[in-house]
Amino acid sequence: MANVSHPRGDISSHPDVNEMRDRYARMVGGRDVALVDGPVFLLGLYCAVSPWILHYTTSQPALVTHNLVIGIAIALLALGFTITPERMYGLSWAICAMGTWMIISPWIVGTSPDTGVVLNSIIIGALAVVLGAMCAVTARGSTPRA
Protein backbone atom coordinates (compact mmCIF):
# COMPACT_ATOMS: atom_id res chain seq x y z
CA MET A 1 0.00 0.00 0.00
CA ALA A 2 1.36 3.42 -0.92
CA ASN A 3 2.05 6.07 1.67
CA VAL A 4 -0.36 8.91 0.79
CA SER A 5 -0.01 10.86 4.01
CA HIS A 6 1.91 14.13 3.90
CA PRO A 7 3.44 16.16 6.67
CA ARG A 8 1.18 19.00 7.85
CA GLY A 9 1.68 22.28 6.06
CA ASP A 10 3.63 20.78 3.18
CA ILE A 11 1.61 20.39 0.02
CA SER A 12 4.44 20.83 -2.47
CA SER A 13 5.01 17.07 -2.72
CA HIS A 14 1.32 16.23 -3.21
CA PRO A 15 0.77 14.48 -6.57
CA ASP A 16 -2.13 16.76 -7.52
CA VAL A 17 -0.66 20.07 -6.37
CA ASN A 18 -0.79 21.71 -9.81
CA GLU A 19 -4.40 20.70 -10.40
CA MET A 20 -5.41 21.91 -6.93
CA ARG A 21 -3.69 25.28 -7.47
CA ASP A 22 -5.39 25.71 -10.86
CA ARG A 23 -8.77 24.82 -9.38
CA TYR A 24 -8.27 27.24 -6.49
CA ALA A 25 -7.29 30.00 -8.92
CA ARG A 26 -10.43 29.35 -11.00
CA MET A 27 -12.68 29.44 -7.94
CA VAL A 28 -11.20 32.60 -6.47
CA GLY A 29 -10.53 34.38 -9.75
CA GLY A 30 -12.95 37.21 -10.45
CA ARG A 31 -14.55 37.16 -7.00
CA ASP A 32 -13.07 40.43 -5.75
CA VAL A 33 -16.58 41.82 -5.60
CA ALA A 34 -17.72 39.26 -3.03
CA LEU A 35 -16.94 41.74 -0.27
CA VAL A 36 -19.53 44.12 -1.72
CA ASP A 37 -22.32 41.54 -2.22
CA GLY A 38 -23.16 41.27 1.48
CA PRO A 39 -23.48 45.01 2.17
CA VAL A 40 -25.57 45.46 -1.01
CA PHE A 41 -27.91 42.67 0.14
CA LEU A 42 -28.23 44.18 3.61
CA LEU A 43 -28.87 47.61 2.10
CA GLY A 44 -31.67 46.14 0.01
CA LEU A 45 -33.21 44.47 3.03
CA TYR A 46 -33.02 47.67 5.06
CA CYS A 47 -34.56 49.66 2.21
CA ALA A 48 -37.45 47.18 2.04
CA VAL A 49 -38.23 47.32 5.77
CA SER A 50 -37.28 50.94 6.49
CA PRO A 51 -40.86 52.27 6.32
CA TRP A 52 -41.78 50.04 9.23
CA ILE A 53 -38.59 50.78 11.14
CA LEU A 54 -39.05 54.55 10.81
CA HIS A 55 -42.87 54.35 11.16
CA TYR A 56 -43.96 56.26 8.10
CA THR A 57 -46.39 53.66 6.84
CA THR A 58 -49.44 55.86 7.49
CA SER A 59 -48.00 59.23 6.46
CA GLN A 60 -46.37 58.06 3.19
CA PRO A 61 -48.21 54.97 1.87
CA ALA A 62 -46.83 55.42 -1.66
CA LEU A 63 -43.26 55.46 -0.36
CA VAL A 64 -43.90 52.30 1.65
CA THR A 65 -44.66 50.32 -1.50
CA HIS A 66 -41.88 52.10 -3.37
CA ASN A 67 -39.21 51.29 -0.77
CA LEU A 68 -40.43 47.70 -0.50
CA VAL A 69 -40.15 47.13 -4.27
CA ILE A 70 -36.80 48.93 -4.66
CA GLY A 71 -35.36 47.18 -1.60
CA ILE A 72 -36.38 43.75 -2.85
CA ALA A 73 -34.90 44.58 -6.28
CA ILE A 74 -31.58 45.62 -4.73
CA ALA A 75 -31.49 42.49 -2.55
CA LEU A 76 -32.29 40.25 -5.54
CA LEU A 77 -29.50 41.87 -7.56
CA ALA A 78 -27.09 41.19 -4.70
CA LEU A 79 -28.21 37.55 -4.57
CA GLY A 80 -27.71 37.31 -8.32
CA PHE A 81 -24.20 38.74 -7.95
CA THR A 82 -23.45 36.06 -5.38
CA ILE A 83 -25.03 33.10 -7.18
CA THR A 84 -24.04 33.80 -10.81
CA PRO A 85 -21.41 36.55 -10.77
CA GLU A 86 -20.19 36.06 -14.33
CA ARG A 87 -23.69 36.79 -15.65
CA MET A 88 -24.77 39.51 -13.25
CA TYR A 89 -21.85 41.91 -12.88
CA GLY A 90 -22.90 43.71 -16.03
CA LEU A 91 -25.90 44.87 -13.99
CA SER A 92 -23.77 46.47 -11.28
CA TRP A 93 -24.57 49.92 -12.60
CA ALA A 94 -28.28 49.23 -12.06
CA ILE A 95 -27.68 49.59 -8.33
CA CYS A 96 -26.23 53.06 -8.97
CA ALA A 97 -29.33 53.96 -10.97
CA MET A 98 -31.60 52.69 -8.19
CA GLY A 99 -29.58 54.66 -5.65
CA THR A 100 -29.96 57.84 -7.68
CA TRP A 101 -33.69 57.18 -7.92
CA MET A 102 -33.86 56.63 -4.14
CA ILE A 103 -32.28 60.04 -3.56
CA ILE A 104 -34.92 61.89 -5.57
CA SER A 105 -37.91 59.60 -4.93
CA PRO A 106 -39.28 61.24 -1.74
CA TRP A 107 -40.22 64.34 -3.70
CA ILE A 108 -41.53 62.46 -6.75
CA VAL A 109 -43.32 59.49 -5.17
CA GLY A 110 -44.07 60.91 -1.72
CA THR A 111 -46.39 63.73 -0.69
CA SER A 112 -44.60 66.45 1.31
CA PRO A 113 -42.16 64.09 3.05
CA ASP A 114 -40.73 65.02 6.44
CA THR A 115 -37.05 65.24 7.29
CA GLY A 116 -36.76 61.64 8.52
CA VAL A 117 -38.17 60.19 5.31
CA VAL A 118 -35.95 62.40 3.16
CA LEU A 119 -32.79 61.62 5.14
CA ASN A 120 -33.55 57.90 5.07
CA SER A 121 -33.97 57.92 1.29
CA ILE A 122 -30.88 60.05 0.73
CA ILE A 123 -28.70 57.83 2.92
CA ILE A 124 -30.00 54.63 1.30
CA GLY A 125 -29.56 56.16 -2.15
CA ALA A 126 -26.04 57.42 -1.47
CA LEU A 127 -24.97 54.04 -0.08
CA ALA A 128 -26.48 52.29 -3.09
CA VAL A 129 -24.63 54.59 -5.50
CA VAL A 130 -21.32 54.07 -3.69
CA LEU A 131 -21.70 50.29 -3.32
CA GLY A 132 -22.96 49.91 -6.89
CA ALA A 133 -20.00 51.90 -8.22
CA MET A 134 -17.58 49.84 -6.13
CA CYS A 135 -19.18 46.65 -7.41
CA ALA A 136 -19.05 47.82 -11.04
CA VAL A 137 -15.47 49.08 -10.90
CA THR A 138 -14.21 45.98 -9.11
CA ALA A 139 -16.10 43.67 -11.45
CA ARG A 140 -14.71 45.46 -14.46
CA GLY A 141 -11.18 45.01 -13.15
CA SER A 142 -11.64 41.34 -12.24
CA THR A 143 -13.28 40.05 -15.43
CA PRO A 144 -10.89 38.61 -17.99
CA ARG A 145 -10.54 40.57 -21.22
CA ALA A 146 -10.94 38.77 -24.51
Side-chain angles (χ1 to χ4, degrees), residues 90-109:
L91 293 174
S92 299
W93 290 106
I95 294 177
C96 294
M98 284 190 231
T100 304
W101 172 250
M102 280 299 297
I103 292 172
I104 61 173
S105 66
W107 296 282
I108 296 174
V109 177

Side-chain angles (χ1 to χ4, degrees), residues 17 23 27 32 58 65 75 93 112 125 137:
V17 69
R23 185 175 182 189
M27 289 176 64
D32 298 336
T58 56
T65 306
W93 290 106
S112 62
V137 168

Side-chain angles (χ1 to χ4, degrees), residues 115-131:
T115 307
V117 173
V118 170
L119 281 176
N120 183 55
S121 291
I122 289 174
I123 291 170
I124 290 172
L127 284 173
V129 168
V130 168
L131 289 173

